[in-house]
Amino acid sequence: MSFIRFGAATAVAMALAAMTTGAALAKTDVTLALQLEPPHLDPTSAAAGAIDSVLYANVFEGLTRFASDGSIIPGLAQSWEISEDGKTYTFHLAEGVTFHDGTTMDAEDVKFSLDRARAEDSANAQKALFAAIESVEVVDPQTVKVTLSAPTGNFLFNMAWGDAVIVAPESIEGIKQTPIGTGAFKFTNWVQGDSITLDKNADYWGTPAKLDKVTFKFISDPTAAFAAVMAEDVDIFAGFPAPENLPQFEADPRFQVLKGNTEGETILAMNNKQAPFDNPTVRSAVAHAIDRQAIIDGAMFGLGTPIGTHFAPHNPDYLDLTALSNYDPEKSKALLAEAGFADGFKTTLKLPPPSYARRGGEIIAAQLRAVGIDAEISNLEWAQWLENVFKGKDYGMTIVSHTEPFDIGIYARPDYYFQYDNPQFQADFAELEKTSDPAKRTELIHKLETTIAEDHVNAYLFELGFATIAKKGLKGLWKDAPTQASDMTAVYWDE
Amino acid sequence: MLRYLLRRLLSLVVSLVVASMVIFAMVEVVPGDPAAYMLGLNAQADTLAALREELGLNGSLVARYFDWVGGMVQGDFGTSYTYRTPVAGMVADRVAISLPLALYALALSTAIAFPAGIWAAARRGRAADVTVMGVTQLGVAIPNFWFAMLMVLVFAINLRWFNAGGFAGWDEGFFAAMKSLTLPAIALALPQASILARVMRSSLLDTLNEDFIRTARAKGLTRGQALRRHALGNALIPVLTILGMQFAFLLAGGIIIENVFYLPGLGRLVFQAISARDLIVVESVVMLLVFAVIVVNFVVDLAYAAVDPRLRARL
């Protein structure tokens, strides 16, 4: 009897041992480092990209969503119909979707989320995305009808933003500390200043996540970032801040390095209403004075793609217009002389903190000096930059990366900080907003891209690169960053 | 004694009031709208106005100052603009890292500096003295962040004895937490220990030249006995002054080290809050640090009295 019991106990012990070793072989957790920590966890009431970097697609989902290549795919809305006049969208929601607190996600939640975002007292940083919505109507629990005041060709794209995710009225109160969404991961813990933990959502309505646990760590200092990856404290660093270290990681057999694009058009913005930049010939002279490759190599260590207009090069509608502002210092000097500045002029170059601006600014100032333009550099903190340059428009030139996807519309806002006021462009953009026919849209987008490139509104430098360093064996990571996200839903260890 | 305490208390209150006014004025005068920072480049004017209202940024400066001070008196430090949680809770979380780190560094620094300083003074002009003086000269000269990076390279990347940074959290147990504070504490302690050792040595040497030491030697004490029994206590006053200053510095001044080791301490909180224009956090944390410095000075004053009977009599 005791012998049998002993035997059974041994069998159980052996089975348990086999199970634990089996579990140990297939690693199911990941530690991912980001440079910036989110200020709070509500993607619908702040511009901070760091919030989306943690929560987008993982915890929160919208009606539609961005895929890794930037295309729009169904999210909580599994399908939709668009009326003939392009003004009514009927969304069919996925069945059996629950929030992480167990409540059901249905048409009422969609109505709540959209109405909250466009309300008068809304704190949504991208309120413009919802401007076209006239009414949101609950047809039945699985169907929502959204009526627009005018046809909006970009509406499905707008609904894919992190600012347009679906939230529940029951959990909105505590969303900034305890985000409750519908995603494949649920929020577990936040040690402020250090890390955020997400656990797999066992009740997920769609394809379940392959990982059981994701820990986000926040390491802002580039040297510390390098050390954390080298010491293998973290498995992934998304958006590695020091491009100069990438060759070292590429040579290391422990790591894989993914180099992709972001939606960040990095531009040398000029104050179009301030002399001498109100003269298009002067702006053209500035554009021709700039050697983009030298900036990419010098400031970004080769990470980045030259652009000739305000549009992401990986987008199918991108036109390569770099030839319109090719590097030609002689031409630049001739244009300056033509504009009456044969001896050059003096201006300001105000730089926000990111390294693309600070390092790039030094190189640009040197390139401008070569054609006779004396750009006096001053370094600003972000808050000062926003106050002084962005809001106060007190600047000659500045460098900034516009990271929102498809943001060419800022050129249709004459009060935007570079103050470009072209009625033709504004009319064309209004036309584009009403158009949903893809061929017609492409044609209009090409026209917009060309207009601002020919007007040399700003000097277009490069598309900001995105580098991810991960341990070998990790699969399913995004290479590009079509929106700020670290989509972990398809990531797994393959060792 | 009571009069002394009352006088100190009054000066403490006056210092705090003046500090609160200076801090508030300085932080509020610097340009930069917190709401604009939070909402970014695409925000609409009505959204900005709504957020400013929500954050209570529309009141007059004077009203906001009294709100802030009034809240602090009742223990309410306000709500962070960016994090949207009570500042008091955030600060408590950060102090739970910064304070142990500062104490750890201070303990290391005294543990190194006292013996080194005494040893050097006792062997003045000999090899031991030259060595201590040389090493401490180097310790003062080496920037602590550089030394920190060097330690990360050796102990985290090559030897893998420590993590490159981060904080394990007190939930993981005392030793795990202390382990993650060890490299930062050493990095912080090195320059402090060097300064302290030099002060200890020179203060002791000064005391050793005093008449009462000659008297002690004359009545038959050895040089070592005279140093231990008579010189050490008398040499402590300048050392305590430096120690008090160092503690204040360690508590507030760990910003760079906290960045190198990505520790979520008080220094990094202020650093982030300044760039994010989280004014209320900046004001409250700086206020807290002022308070800490004043309290530390008070404690140092009391410690003078403890080591010097003459001061005690005068109180």
Side-chain angles (χ1 to χ4, degrees), chain A residues 179 214 251 276 328 377 404 420 427:
Chain A
V214 181
D328 188 347
I377 290 181
E404 276 79 18
Y420 174 59

Side-chain angles (χ1 to χ4, degrees), chain A residues 412-480:
Chain A
R413 288 163 60 178
D415 62 338
Y416 206 64
Y417 75 104
F418 43 73
Q419 310 196 80
Y420 174 59
D421 191 355
N422 178 347
Q424 183 57 47
F425 183 93
Q426 288 153 24
D428 288 342
F429 186 73
E431 180 66 30
L432 174 70
E433 289 208 287
K434 285 188 288 194
T435 311
S436 8
D437 174 50
K440 190 96 197 303
R441 281 183 68 83
T442 300
E443 192 186 313
L444 277 165
I445 291 170
H446 282 173
K447 193 173 170 201
L448 294 174
E449 288 180 56
T450 315
T451 308
I452 56 170
E454 281 172 346
D455 276 357
H456 296 107
V457 181
N458 298 310
Y460 302 99
L461 305 175
F462 57 88
E463 194 73 7
L464 205 58
F466 189 79
T468 301
I469 299 160
K471 291 249 193 78
K472 278 258 167 71
L474 271 167
K475 299 277 163 65
L477 291 161
W478 285 18
K479 181 168 81 72
D480 294 308

Side-chain angles (χ1 to χ4, degrees), chain A residues 296-432:
Chain A
I296 296 173
D297 291 342
M300 307 310 289
F301 297 85
L303 187 65
T305 314
I307 51 169
T309 184
H310 198 105
F311 218 73
H314 50 84
N315 191 303
D317 288 334
Y318 174 74
L319 278 185
D320 185 356
L321 299 169
T322 44
L324 287 176
S325 49
N326 61 320
Y327 174 52
D328 188 347
E330 288 314 312
K331 184 171 179 187
S332 175
K333 280 186 205 163
L335 285 167
L336 278 178
E338 185 192 320
F341 292 99
D343 299 329
F345 59 88
K346 222 173 128 92
T347 186
T348 55
L349 176 56
K350 297 194 171 175
L351 304 175
S355 61
Y356 65 73
R358 294 279 165 91
R359 290 183 193 165
E362 299 287 343
I363 300 171
I364 284 174
Q367 292 176 352
L368 291 176
R369 209 171 300 126
V371 299
I373 301 171
D374 180 10
E376 190 194 340
I377 290 181
S378 48
N379 293 333
L380 306 182
E381 288 307 306
W382 267 124
Q384 284 175 295
W385 185 89
L386 285 170
E387 184 90 6
N388 202 316
V389 176
F390 190 72
K391 195 170 145 216
K393 294 161 186 116
D394 175 22
Y395 75 106
M397 295 190 284
T398 184
I399 300 174
V400 71
S401 196
H402 286 264
T403 52
E404 276 79 18
F406 195 83
D407 50 7
I408 199 166
I410 55 181
Y411 289 80
R413 288 163 60 178
D415 62 338
Y416 206 64
Y417 75 104
F418 43 73
Q419 310 196 80
Y420 174 59
D421 191 355
N422 178 347
Q424 183 57 47
F425 183 93
Q426 288 153 24
D428 288 342
F429 186 73
E431 180 66 30
L432 174 70

Side-chain angles (χ1 to χ4, degrees), chain A residues 34-54:
Chain A
L34 299 170
Q35 209 188 355
L36 293 180
E37 180 179 29
H40 58 73
L41 302 176
D42 177 9
T44 65
S45 70
I51 302 176
D52 285 331
S53 295
V54 175

Side-chain angles (χ1 to χ4, degrees), chain A residues 40 42-47 115-127 130 163 176, chain B residues 35 38-40 43-44 46-52 54-55 84:
Chain A
H40 58 73
D42 177 9
T44 65
S45 70
D115 284 347
R116 175 172 170 265
R118 65 200 189 91
E120 194 144 340
D121 62 348
S122 154
N124 198 298
Q126 312 291 346
K127 208 172 163 184
F130 311 92
D163 307 80
K176 290 195 165 77
Chain B
M38 288 163 67
L39 289 175
Q44 296 184 352
D46 59 341
T47 325
L48 268 174
L51 186 65
R52 286 185 62 84
E54 195 182 325
L55 294 176
R84 309 309 277 281

